[in-house]
Amino acid sequence: MVRSSTLSIPESNDIPQHLAIIMDGNGRWATKRFLPRTAGHFRGVQAVRRVVEACGERGVKYLTLFAFSSENWRRPKEEVSVLMRLFMQTLDKEISKLENQGVRLHIVGDLSAFEPKLQEMIKEAQARTAGNDALHLTIAANYGGRWDILQALRKLMIAKPELAAQSDAIAESELAPYLSMAYAPEPDLFIRTGGEQRISNFLIWQLAYTELYFSDDFWPDFGAKELDAAFEWYRTRERRFGRTSAQLAK
Ligand code: FPP
């Protein structure tokens, strides 16, 4: 499904159809408790579980989580390796439950950088849940918004080489189907935990008209109550998509 907010205006709902989250603050959560940063990532997985469940119960259709950015490779080697292991263990442990609960799992990002075993697990997990449709859970791993736009452009150029000679013909609707989340509508709501107010190269194309919510909670402390507070704030937003308030009142 491809739907660009600059081409068509999505319906408004009380619950976002697509929620995208930057799960920040794991390291600080742990440091505050004199624990190694990696302890924060382990607790972060529990928060992922809580939020997936709460989203399912509230009728969110697409949930996208930024698990590992293309910039996260700059972290200490030990922390990167713990994150990779955690990712593999979580996939292994949770996949049956996700499959039975009707969750369809998508992993987006430049997966070629991951070790072959992890790539294989990702492929298998996606295949196992491919028939599900209750909740589309996307994990962005080694993902960057600029990478996504560039890879889409490369794919478009390969599919339609004639466009190189007539660049005026490259419209949004030509590029969008090649973005890695072309199966989902654009996010209605974005949440970043941990107190920072940045997009950090997340879904930069897709967030153009998304409502942005920033929470001071560290990710391991985030759960159903905090999610409901974000949804309550979301309901107060007037989503104009370029129109005036008067037009919306009609
Ligand atoms: C940001 O906190 C968090 C990450 C870079 C990793 C997020 C990973 C998880 C929650 C666990 C694995 C996820 C899945 C889906 C299996 P930070 O380390 O940047 O925190 P800080 O800003 O306090 O240092």
Side-chain angles (χ1 to χ4, degrees):
M1 180 204 308
V2 179
R3 199 187 59 190
S4 165
S5 50
T6 39
L7 300 176
S8 68
I9 297 168
E11 258 178 62
S12 328
N13 284 310
D14 279 355
I15 295 289
Q17 193 189 8
H18 183 174
L19 168 64
I21 306 183
I22 294 186
M23 311 177 285
D24 199 12
N26 291 350
R28 280 166 289 157
W29 180 92
T31 306
K32 223 175 93 183
R33 290 162 176 78
F34 307 103
L35 295 168
R37 289 175 53 80
T38 48
H41 297 315
F42 282 96
R43 288 298 285 255
V45 173
Q46 294 176 15
V48 169
R49 260 188 228 116
R50 288 197 296 270
V51 168
V52 170
E53 216 152 276
C55 281
E57 286 164 8
R58 284 154 185 74
V60 171
K61 192 80 187 161
Y62 297 87
L63 172 64
T64 302
L65 303 175
F66 205 5
F68 193 84
S69 76
S70 13
E71 290 74 30
N72 284 151
W73 294 108
R74 296 182 190 137
R75 293 188 172 211
K77 230 172 113 197
E78 177 60 19
E79 183 172 338
V80 171
S81 127
V82 167
L83 276 169
M84 292 301 143
R85 242 183 306 133
L86 193 57
F87 195 39
M88 282 201 268
Q89 282 169 1
T90 309
L91 259 187
D92 197 36
K93 227 165 110 187
E94 303 290 332
I95 192 63
S96 300
K97 202 152 102 197
L98 294 175
E99 192 180 4
N100 295 332
Q101 288 175 339
V103 177
R104 178 160 182 185
L105 185 70
H106 308 260
I107 315 281
V108 298
D110 182 3
L111 305 182
S112 66
F114 293 133
E115 59 175 276
K117 181 161 179 256
L118 179 53
Q119 290 188 40
E120 203 43 53
M121 285 176 77
I122 287 173
K123 228 195 254 167
E124 201 190 307
Q126 292 187 131
R128 267 177 73 173
T129 61
N132 287 345
D133 189 42
L135 170 68
H136 289 252
L137 171 63
T138 301
I139 307 292
N142 194 24
Y143 178 88
R146 291 179 181 172
W147 164 84
D148 197 4
I149 294 169
L150 276 177
Q151 68 80 31
L153 190 61
R154 288 188 194 113
K155 282 184 185 150
L156 174 63
M157 287 304 152
I158 290 168
K160 299 182 179 171
E162 67 281 5
L163 283 179
Q166 33 165 332
S167 56
D168 286 354
I170 306 177
E172 281 180 33
S173 55
E174 293 276 3
L175 190 72
Y178 296 96
L179 290 167
S180 49
M181 288 199 64
Y183 53 85
E186 291 173 7
D188 304 292
L189 176 64
F190 159 96
I191 297 176
R192 180 178 187 142
T193 61
E196 306 290 353
Q197 305 203 348
R198 285 192 290 273
I199 304 287
S200 298
N201 199 19
F202 195 22
L203 302 158
I204 50 178
W205 174 287
Q206 297 88 338
L207 290 174
Y209 279 89
T210 302
E211 298 296 329
L212 307 178
Y213 179 87
F214 298 96
S215 160
D216 287 333
D217 292 307
F218 293 141
W219 176 249
D221 291 327
F222 204 82
K225 183 163 102 15
E226 291 72 22
L227 189 71
D228 284 336
F231 287 178
E232 209 177 307
W233 172 87
Y234 172 75
R235 281 194 277 277
T236 67
R237 305 302 303 154
E238 182 184 73
R239 306 194 72 200
R240 292 200 292 275
F241 296 98
R243 295 164 298 175
T244 65
S245 288
Q247 280 176 300
L248 288 181
K250 275 183 197 162

